[in-house]
Amino acid sequence: SDASQEDLSAIRNEIPSVKSAADGSIVDALVAGKLAQSNSDARRLLASNAIYINGQSVSRDKFEQSDFGGGRLLLRRGKAYKDSALVELE
């Protein structure tokens, strides 16, 4: 949440960036960010606790306003940070 605009530009060049509403679908963000191949794959990942929001494991299917620090969050699949996407509020 403390990243400068320059840092955000660099992050957007390194990992996928998607837009979402504050109560948007995590499943849709996973597919749009290419962290899951389909909605069913995204639901399976959520059910197996393989999805992290800002480093915290989640199994719910909707974002919460508190997930977004500074209007953005880091969505990650698994332990590797290479499998991440930046989610920004619309």
Side-chain angles (χ1 to χ4, degrees):
S1 64
D2 297 333
S4 68
Q5 287 301 323
E6 185 177 297
D7 291 338
L8 286 172
S9 293
I11 290 169
R12 287 183 193 111
N13 288 330
E14 296 293 322
I15 62 174
S17 176
V18 298
K19 300 277 186 186
S20 177
D23 62 348
S25 169
I26 295 174
V27 170
D28 290 346
L30 288 167
V31 174
K34 302 200 183 339
L35 298 177
Q37 294 182 8
S38 65
N39 288 354
S40 60
D41 183 36
R43 285 187 198 93
R44 181 188 57 77
L45 289 166
L46 283 166
S48 64
N49 293 320
I51 301 301
Y52 297 82
I53 294 177
N54 298 329
Q56 300 295 316
S57 178
V58 295
S59 58
R60 57 188 153 83
D61 61 351
K62 295 276 187 192
F63 290 118
E64 296 175 354
Q65 181 67 41
S66 61
D67 294 333
F68 293 90
R72 58 192 152 269
L73 61 82
L74 185 66
L75 187 63
R76 189 177 83 225
R77 178 190 71 207
K79 300 287 183 189
Y81 279 94
K82 68 180 178 62
D83 297 323
S84 298
L86 178 67
V87 180
E88 299 177 277
L89 286 175
E90 294 180 307

